[in-house]
Amino acid sequence: MREDELATRVVEHFRAAFDDVEIHLEEPYDHYGNRGVADVYVRVRTPEPVDYLIELKADAAVRHATGANEVLRQYRRMERYFYKDDEHAIRTKLGREGPGVHALLLFAPTSRCVEHVREHAALYESVDPEATVEGVEAVRKVAFLTNLGRAPEGELGFLSLNGPLAFDSVAFREAVPSGSRLADALWGED
């Protein structure tokens, strides 16, 4: 599975799930030499702006990475510097309910990505889900994408690796949709 396939599903999902949405692919940022690219940057209004900064990892990315530290470094750099770039502003809102930023590191539901995550599960599980970005409440999610086929209906999902369910725990296994690509990748089901 390629990263552009994942990006297509993410775009389909956000277009279907929200009425007022701005979607930017490969959105660059630059803060005093700290340069990078968010794979997908989405701003929805519910009615206040809520941002989704998305780093996608498919087979090629995990194959070429030197390890989880490199993947996490890229993800954290995006979170740290994206909003310091003058082009991307997010403001605190007194009446905001819930997080204003969702920083997502999303893996493809493939055997290669499962193997990578299994090898480095402790590192991905250690990412604190609670954060603050430029004074705005944020949530960090490291997850496998699920429900890829239902993205056009706005039903793309993810199974968190840094949430309450430890990877490869019984509860995690029970949360994997049966017959899904992720189930196939985890256990070779068909």
Side-chain angles (χ1 to χ4, degrees):
M1 177 164 272
R2 296 184 332 256
E3 197 173 286
D4 59 344
E5 294 174 83
L6 299 178
T8 298
R9 298 297 181 259
V10 168
V11 168
E12 290 171 341
H13 167 77
F14 278 99
R15 283 184 178 159
F18 297 96
D19 291 328
D20 191 359
V21 62
E22 296 173 37
I23 301 171
H24 305 271
L25 299 174
E26 299 296 322
E27 181 70 10
Y29 60 88
D30 184 4
H31 175 70
Y32 295 111
N34 293 298
R35 296 181 180 143
V37 174
D39 290 329
V40 185
Y41 166 52
V42 178
R43 177 166 281 175
V44 299
R45 286 173 179 68
T46 62
E48 68 269 351
V50 177
D51 287 0
Y52 294 81
L53 286 178
I54 304 170
E55 181 66 33
L56 299 168
K57 293 299 175 198
D59 291 353
V62 298
R63 183 175 54 248
H64 295 297
T66 58
N69 283 342
E70 179 182 344
V71 171
L72 287 168
R73 194 169 29 253
Q74 184 179 14
Y75 168 67
R76 295 303 298 267
R77 186 181 317 121
M78 175 187 70
E79 175 191 328
R80 187 174 296 121
Y81 296 113
F82 188 83
Y83 291 106
K84 292 185 185 302
D85 182 318
D86 293 336
E87 296 293 315
H88 309 105
I90 187 132
R91 295 179 212 49
T92 58
K93 292 249 185 200
L94 293 177
R96 183 184 298 274
E97 291 185 27
V101 176
H102 295 263
L104 308 174
L105 173 55
L106 302 176
F107 288 94
T110 64
S111 297
R112 186 176 301 275
C113 288
V114 165
E115 180 182 316
H116 170 82
V117 168
R118 184 172 280 130
E119 183 178 342
H120 305 290
L123 295 176
Y124 291 121
E125 290 171 344
S126 73
V127 174
D128 187 353
E130 296 180 20
T132 302
V133 174
E134 297 299 305
V136 174
E137 180 185 346
V139 173
R140 292 186 195 107
K141 291 282 185 205
V142 178
F144 282 109
L145 283 166
T146 62
N147 303 331
L148 293 174
R150 295 199 316 251
E153 290 83 40
E155 296 179 17
L156 186 67
F158 56 84
L159 186 53
S160 181
L161 298 163
N162 67 323
L165 307 179
F167 182 67
D168 271 347
S169 68
V170 172
F172 184 90
R173 288 174 177 265
E174 289 173 352
V176 174
S178 63
S180 67
R181 289 184 186 195
L182 183 56
D184 292 347
L186 284 164
W187 307 299
E189 295 176 358
D190 267 325

